[in-house]
């Protein structure tokens, strides 16, 4: 029998807490005038809930980190 294992972080995103945190992050940033994509906030919520750092070349995450607790690694 073959077993397929999906190690995608997107599986983690479907936890109820992840989805509510992503919405909270969106609302917090939006309140401060910072716009972002839903995917960026899902990535942020998965990282925040699992203690992951986000490795990115995207400056948007630096703006989000001003208002939400994110650990970033930039190049």
């Amino acid at each position: 029998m073959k077993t397929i294992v999906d190690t995608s972080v997107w599986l983690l995103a479907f936890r109820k807490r992840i989805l509510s945190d992503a919405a909270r992050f969106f609302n917090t940033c939006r309140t401060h005038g910072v716009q972002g994509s839903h995917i960026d906030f899902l990535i942020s919520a998965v990282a925040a809930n699992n203690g992951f750092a986000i490795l990115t070349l995207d400056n948007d995450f630096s703006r989000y980190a001003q208002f939400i607790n994110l650990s970033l690694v930039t190049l």
Side-chain angles (χ1 to χ4, degrees):
M1 180 165 98
K2 284 188 173 183
T3 303
I4 298 173
V5 178
D6 185 358
T7 58
S8 171
V9 277
W10 298 112
L11 289 178
L12 299 173
F14 292 104
R15 294 182 184 167
K16 186 175 183 179
R17 180 179 174 138
I18 300 296
L19 295 175
S20 64
D21 282 352
R24 185 171 48 84
F25 291 170
F26 175 86
N27 291 332
T28 299
C29 288
R30 185 77 170 154
T31 299
H32 290 94
V34 176
Q35 294 182 358
S37 74
H38 294 89
I39 298 299
D40 284 355
F41 291 116
L42 277 173
I43 292 169
S44 298
V46 168
N49 278 277
N50 292 286
F52 300 156
I54 300 173
L55 175 64
T56 182
L57 296 174
D58 188 347
N59 290 329
D60 290 343
F61 286 95
S62 297
R63 289 194 297 271
Y64 310 150
Q66 294 174 6
F67 306 107
I68 58 178
N69 187 21
L70 292 178
S71 177
L72 301 178
V73 177
T74 55
L75 298 176

